[in-house]
Amino acid sequence: MSGGILVAGVGNVFFGDDGFGVEVVRLLGEQGPPEGAVVADFGIRGVHLAYELLAGYDGLILLDAVPRGERPGTLSVIEPGIDRGARDETPLLMGALGDSHGMTPDALFALFGPLGVTTEPVLLVGCEPADTSPGMGLSEPVAHAVPVAAGLVRELVAEQVAASGAARIERGRT
């Protein structure tokens, strides 16, 4: 893959609302992916997501349950700060590879530098969970947020595709 936007659902469907990202990706797959995007369910396989990004995408939209103290079902678009420094991250990298169940978005972003991931921009569409205890199925407020999140993702993809197209045209002029 070269270019395009990767829309990645993450989370554990065996922990209630933690499966939010996976459900949004499932819905987008049923509806047909947004133009210019690749939609994929990475579940708890964060390391696979990090390696997938090495294929060269123009952007990443990550979907996950994100507790921020809001009302359950509240959606947020977050631009995470990602440190791409050249520090020696070998202990972090080995720890992440050894425990993919602990691969939070922060841990995923920490792998970007050591793996050489250069994907920009990165957006996190988060949903405030109501219940992440063991069990399958989303709570009512989070389930209601899934189609809203799918529409939001379509808007974000369209914006990123337009921006990356404009950037390519600009680079062609210089």
Side-chain angles (χ1 to χ4, degrees), residues 4-171:
I5 309 301
L6 178 61
V7 177
V10 298
N12 190 332
V13 297
F14 296 111
F15 285 92
D17 290 342
D18 194 47
F20 164 78
V22 173
E23 286 300 313
V24 176
V25 164
R26 183 192 57 73
L27 179 60
L28 287 168
E30 288 175 2
Q31 296 173 340
E35 187 173 336
V38 173
V39 177
D41 169 8
F42 286 91
I44 58 172
R45 300 177 329 271
V47 173
H48 293 154
L49 172 56
Y51 282 117
E52 176 64 24
L53 288 168
L54 292 173
Y57 289 91
D58 291 330
L60 168 66
I61 298 174
L62 191 65
L63 299 154
D64 198 7
V66 179
R68 301 183 68 188
E70 303 287 335
R71 189 179 78 252
T74 300
L75 297 174
S76 301
V77 178
I78 304 162
E79 289 188 64
I82 300 172
D83 181 8
R84 296 177 193 274
R87 300 183 314 264
D88 179 14
E89 301 276 0
T90 304
L92 172 67
L93 180 60
M94 295 312 294
L97 291 174
D99 181 16
S100 63
H101 294 278
M103 184 60 85
T104 64
D106 287 341
L108 170 68
F109 300 148
L111 287 176
F112 282 15
L115 291 176
V117 173
T118 58
T119 300
E120 288 285 346
V122 175
L123 297 176
L124 171 60
V125 175
C127 182
E128 183 71 36
D131 183 8
T132 57
S133 62
M136 293 190 68
L138 301 177
S139 66
E140 186 174 334
V142 172
H144 286 306
V146 168
V148 178
L152 177 59
V153 166
R154 288 186 183 285
E155 291 174 20
L156 294 170
V157 166
E159 289 172 9
Q160 286 191 14
V161 166
S164 66
R168 280 195 192 101
I169 291 170
E170 189 61 34
R171 282 192 303 266

